[in-house]
Amino acid sequence: MNLGLKDKVFVVTGGAAGIGAAICETLAKEDAIVVILDRQCDLGEGLSAQINQLGGKCWYLKVLRFR
């Protein structure tokens, strides 16, 4: 499927797991640039590395919880 997302940047909050991760993977398959925002460092870094190893462009940024 070609949705015309090549080189467009998408910021996905909660993108390290679940539906957010599925969205990130789908965007990466469409050649989009994915930025994952999440509090779960291990999952976010892992997904980002996985996407990059498959030739995608992805960054993970840790989100801190403020009170």
Side-chain angles (χ1 to χ4, degrees), residues 4-25:
L5 304 179
K6 183 175 175 64
D7 295 329
K8 292 188 173 29
V9 179
F10 291 86
V11 177
V12 183
T13 58
I19 294 171
I23 291 169
C24 291
E25 291 169 350

Side-chain angles (χ1 to χ4, degrees), residues 28-62:
K29 289 177 185 173
E30 292 291 324
D31 294 323
I33 299 168
V34 181
V35 180
I36 301 171
L37 300 179
D38 207 295
R39 293 187 298 171
Q40 301 180 67
C41 286
D42 54 340
L43 295 176
E45 289 173 353
L47 180 58
S48 178
Q50 176 185 352
I51 290 171
N52 288 322
Q53 286 174 354
L54 294 173
K57 297 176 188 171
C58 185
W59 287 269
Y60 165 71
L61 298 173
K62 180 179 180 180

